Amino acid sequence: MEALDLARWQFGITTVYHFIFVPLTIGLAPLVAVMQTAWVRTGNERWLKLTKFFGKLFLINFALGVVTGIVQEFQFGMNWSEYSRFVGDVFGAPLAMEALAAFFVESTFLGLWIFGWDRLSKRVHLACIWAAAVAVNLSAFFILAANSWMQHPVGARYNPETGRAEMESIWAILGNNTLWAAFPHAVAAAFLTAGTFVAGIAAWWMVRLVRTRRPESVELARNVYRPAVVLGTVVMLVSGAGVALTGDVQGKLMFEQQPGKMASAEALCAGEEAAPFSILTIGDLSNSCEGVRHILEVPGLSSYLGTGKFSGEDSYLPGVNDVQQEYAERFGETDAAGNPISYTPNLAVTYWSFRLMIGFAAGSALLALAALWFTRRGRVSDNPWFARIAIAAIPTPFLASSFGWIFTEVGRQPWVVAPNPTGIDQIRLLTMQGVSTVVSPGMILTSMIVFTLLYGALAVVWYRLIHRYAIEGVPSTVRDESPEAAGDETDRPLSFAY
């Protein structure tokens, strides 16, 4: 494999792995803050238990996210030095703001929150977790500002003497309409992930406790875990609606800025009006676009996602062949070496990642419906199917977010900096032009193998820690009524086999 292919694989592997932790961190931090706020305002110990329980899981996830995120920035200088040279003056600004204005804030206040339980007043301690939660989301904003500039460059000019993009206005970059479509969508997806995580774990614990038939266990399920299920369900319902609405906005903006990505999402080879949305496609999904046949179609839906119209002239969507022809005329048919340039993203990856993103998001919807039913009218459920649904649903928003990110990045190809349809033509960069010229394939392959093995080990550590503390449950001091404890008046932690 060439250095370009290896560099793309390495960046893809490390980015998708890192992005596993990001949505949960963004969404869970505010939920932990909400739980602690409820405790401070009401004095109810249930919210203190839930704060410490889910706070511990949040800290584990946050730590792994920080470790895996640091690697991303080093890759820009090592594997993608030509890209860094071209966009560094612009791309570096939001990244620096993320480090100085967001990461340092969240790290500082998170440290105060961790070690300040018995040293700070309740309100000051509460302010620390809220500061960390706001900073976590602010960090996401600046990262997305950098990525949105790659999708839709604004606020910059091209310097022909240096051959670089140079920033003209940071406010234009932070006001990029692509950013303001992507940020609410990413945050809504993060809250969907966190809501599913909280509701799923709490639902499993509620069923587990109620099935013991012990009065104190049922009381713990009703007083502690049921409120967490309700909180998670409310968050899922609100954020799920937010994901759908912001995704609709993004789709229409994507059609204007990157029509090739929209066409690839449907594997639409030739442009047409009232373009349907296919549930399934068979045939050759290679970029030749030959023999593609859509089945199980929803009439006009793809046109609506892109244009807001189900039919008529205004519903016209260009196909990938149309975009290829337009870009070839505008930017050239061949590269510097005379090789033909394909302006079409990988159809198989974009088509299926778009559908997997939507499909896995349905897992949260299923859990929300199950939770509404099994907790109706104040009930606590012992139905094992509720526990199974809860556990099965937990990974689905993680997968949906990962496939959404894959679609966003692969659909932009072959550009690492996509041209702005109404901007400066020279501010664009093909992915093959951004790779380092002095790094050998062997060096990239070695680092990719090392990082993959290291990340695999970290994944095992993350899972074991999350699993260990999730099944440990909230702190409880119910009396052990086993024969071995007869006559012992000491309160013991709740323990039983499942």
Side-chain angles (χ1 to χ4, degrees):
M1 296 179 72
E2 296 182 354
L4 172 62
D5 299 318
L6 290 168
R8 291 182 65 187
W9 269 108
Q10 178 170 307
F11 200 86
I13 290 170
T14 55
T15 299
V16 171
Y17 183 90
H18 171 63
F19 201 69
I20 293 173
F21 309 105
V22 171
L24 184 60
T25 296
I26 294 172
L28 191 55
L31 291 191
V32 172
V34 167
M35 294 173 188
Q36 187 168 346
T37 301
W39 170 61
V40 171
R41 291 182 62 86
T42 66
N44 193 315
E45 291 295 311
R46 77 171 63 144
W47 294 113
L48 175 60
K49 292 180 179 181
L50 289 171
T51 298
K52 293 190 173 184
F53 176 52
F54 285 106
K56 187 181 296 183
L57 301 180
F58 162 71
L59 292 174
I60 295 169
N61 192 76
F62 177 84
L64 269 293
V66 170
V67 171
T68 56
I70 292 174
V71 175
Q72 304 301 97
E73 297 183 3
F74 287 107
Q75 289 185 82
F76 292 131
M78 294 188 294
N79 294 348
W80 300 98
S81 60
E82 290 301 305
Y83 163 79
S84 298
R85 185 196 65 81
F86 181 74
V87 305
D89 186 66
V90 182
F91 191 76
L95 291 184
M97 295 173 74
E98 186 271 338
L100 296 173
F103 180 71
F104 286 168
V105 173
E106 68 192 57
S107 301
T108 299
F109 282 99
L110 203 54
L112 290 171
W113 185 74
I114 294 170
F115 299 106
W117 278 100
D118 300 320
R119 296 174 175 86
L120 301 175
S121 68
K122 281 186 178 181
R123 294 188 180 277
V124 171
H125 190 253
L126 175 62
C128 290
I129 188 60
W130 273 114
V134 171
V136 164
N137 282 265
L138 190 62
S139 178
F141 176 81
F142 288 123
I143 294 295
L144 286 171
N147 182 265
S148 295
W149 189 87
M150 296 166 63
Q151 308 282 347
H152 182 238
V154 296
R157 66 182 181 90
Y158 178 75
N159 187 335
E161 296 181 0
T162 61
R164 302 173 65 236
E166 297 179 352
M167 184 171 62
E168 285 190 321
S169 172
I170 185 62
W171 301 114
I173 294 171
L174 298 181
N176 192 344
N177 57 357
T178 305
L179 167 62
W180 287 98
F183 179 63
H185 188 65
V187 170
F191 273 96
L192 183 65
T193 303
T196 306
F197 185 79
V198 169
I201 293 175
W204 179 80
W205 263 106
M206 181 176 70
V207 172
R208 181 181 182 183
L209 288 167
V210 174
R211 286 175 66 84
T212 66
R213 302 291 187 257
R214 294 170 59 180
E216 61 271 31
S217 299
V218 175
E219 181 182 1
L220 184 64
R222 183 181 303 279
N223 292 336
V224 177
Y225 288 110
R226 186 182 180 280
V229 173
V230 172
L231 174 62
T233 301
V234 170
V235 172
M236 279 191 289
L237 293 172
V238 174
S239 59
V243 167
L245 292 173
T246 56
D248 181 62
V249 172
Q250 266 198 308
K252 292 169 175 55
L253 195 60
M254 179 177 67
F255 169 67
E256 296 176 7
Q257 297 174 352
Q258 299 181 40
K261 184 186 291 187
M262 191 69 197
S264 299
E266 182 50 35
L268 187 66
C269 298
E272 61 180 281
E273 297 176 3
F277 181 89
S278 60
I279 308 300
L280 181 63
T281 289
I282 59 175
D284 183 10
L285 272 180
S286 68
N287 285 26
S288 65
C289 227
E290 296 178 359
V292 174
R293 197 178 82 182
H294 298 157
I295 57 178
L296 301 176
E297 295 179 333
V298 180
L301 183 56
S302 284
S303 283
Y304 175 79
L305 292 176
T307 68
K309 305 291 183 181
F310 281 100
S311 60
E313 293 183 2
D314 292 339
S315 70
Y316 179 82
L317 284 185
V320 293
N321 292 335
D322 303 314
V323 176
Q324 171 68 27
Q325 181 179 350
E326 177 190 346
Y327 278 18
E329 293 174 356
R330 183 178 173 186
F331 304 116
E333 297 181 4
T334 60
D335 59 21
N339 300 312
I341 300 174
S342 172
Y343 294 101
T344 302
N346 187 305
L347 290 185
V349 175
T350 50
Y351 180 88
W352 286 113
S353 61
F354 189 68
R355 278 145 187 80
L356 289 169
M357 172 188 68
I358 298 171
F360 278 117
S364 297
L366 178 62
L367 176 57
L369 292 174
L372 289 173
W373 175 256
F374 287 113
T375 61
R376 68 192 186 280
R377 298 175 183 174
R379 299 183 184 184
V380 287
S381 176
D382 65 348
N383 192 312
W385 278 105
F386 186 28
R388 294 183 185 118
I389 292 171
I391 295 301
I394 289 175
T396 58
F398 289 89
L399 293 169
S401 293
S402 294
F403 280 112
W405 195 251
I406 291 171
F407 169 73
T408 298
E409 297 306 300
V410 174
R412 188 183 66 237
Q413 299 303 313
W415 305 102
V416 65
V417 178
N420 184 338
T422 60
I424 302 173
D425 269 357
Q426 291 86 351
I427 301 183
R428 68 182 191 274
L429 192 70
L430 292 168
T431 303
M432 63 182 177
Q433 296 172 328
V435 70
S436 297
T437 57
V438 295
V439 180
S440 68
M443 294 172 65
I444 301 175
L445 179 61
T446 301
S447 63
M448 183 173 69
I449 292 173
V450 170
F451 279 127
T452 301
L453 293 175
L454 178 62
Y455 279 18
L458 288 175
V460 174
V461 172
W462 175 79
Y463 174 78
R464 289 180 66 88
L465 288 174
I466 291 289
H467 180 265
R468 171 187 170 184
Y469 289 108
I471 64 172
E472 187 177 276
V474 301
S476 57
T477 54
V478 297
R479 193 179 303 280
D480 187 346
E481 296 180 353
S482 63
E484 293 80 8
D488 185 356
E489 296 299 320
T490 305
D491 285 342
R492 300 174 182 268
L494 178 64
S495 61
F496 48 84
Y498 183 52

